[in-house]
Amino acid sequence: KVTGVQTCALPILQLILFDPVSLATVNMKEQNSYSFTQQPNKALKIFFGKDVLNQIVADETLATTPYPNPVQSDRKITWRVAIASPDPSEIRLQLYDAKGAVVDGVTHAGRLGLQDVVYQIRESEAIGMFYYRLAVSAGQGSKVYTGKIVLP
């Protein structure tokens, strides 16, 4: 019989591959394989440690195209945004119909690092093609991303 031995819970450590071009993160402990498109002058980054996903910071403020597009049956659409500035930031999303009229919009407070902006499309919104404008204001600059969303 062993006495005087203490047990302690070890922290759960993460091993994350980060693609700064697509803003994709891969949990390398859970996925056996993954693929990426190599970009000149851009290197993949590996992060290891506790609560790593909340510590990843991109080299510049970026946003991905929305996914899934066309929107699935749960009527949620997501943009991944990376904010590189520790200054206060804002993420503003606006949806427009085919005539250019604003259908809806939301504003989020941004924070340094990666974050997902999820928009829940209301059941009352019609089906068809819509346009989006995603404006990310961080630090001294801002970037605007535009595109189309299809609601089946």
Side-chain angles (χ1 to χ4, degrees):
K1 180 177 180 181
V2 178
T3 59
V5 176
Q6 292 182 329
T7 60
C8 64
L10 296 175
I12 297 174
L13 301 176
Q14 297 172 320
L15 180 61
I16 303 295
L17 176 68
F18 174 60
D19 181 349
V21 173
S22 69
L23 304 182
T25 55
V26 176
N27 185 332
M28 295 172 64
K29 291 174 110 180
E30 294 177 359
Q31 281 187 251
N32 293 330
S33 65
Y34 36 88
S35 62
F36 59 92
T37 303
Q38 186 174 4
Q39 301 286 330
N41 301 325
K42 291 289 183 175
L44 299 175
K45 298 179 180 183
I46 296 176
F47 294 86
F48 178 75
K50 184 179 176 185
D51 198 28
V52 170
L53 283 175
N54 292 326
Q55 300 170 21
I56 296 175
V57 177
D59 297 332
E60 60 182 309
T61 298
L62 296 169
T64 62
T65 56
Y67 59 92
N69 192 7
V71 177
Q72 303 298 314
S73 60
D74 65 0
R75 299 182 66 82
K76 286 183 185 175
I77 193 157
T78 304
W79 288 260
R80 176 157 284 182
V81 176
I83 295 181
S85 172
D87 297 332
S89 57
E90 178 181 85
I91 302 167
R92 180 179 297 239
L93 170 66
Q94 290 181 301
L95 292 180
Y96 300 87
D97 64 15
K99 296 177 184 177
V102 175
V103 173
D104 198 7
V106 293
T107 302
H108 297 280
R111 61 173 166 68
L112 180 67
L114 291 179
Q115 53 218 292
D116 289 336
V117 176
V118 179
Y119 177 72
Q120 178 70 50
I121 298 163
R122 295 187 303 255
E123 291 296 326
S124 62
E125 289 180 300
I127 61 172
M129 187 168 60
F130 292 83
Y131 298 92
Y132 70 86
R133 181 180 188 275
L134 181 71
V136 181
S137 302
Q140 298 297 319
S142 64
K143 292 190 177 186
V144 176
Y145 302 87
T146 60
K148 299 175 187 176
I149 299 172
V150 177
L151 299 179

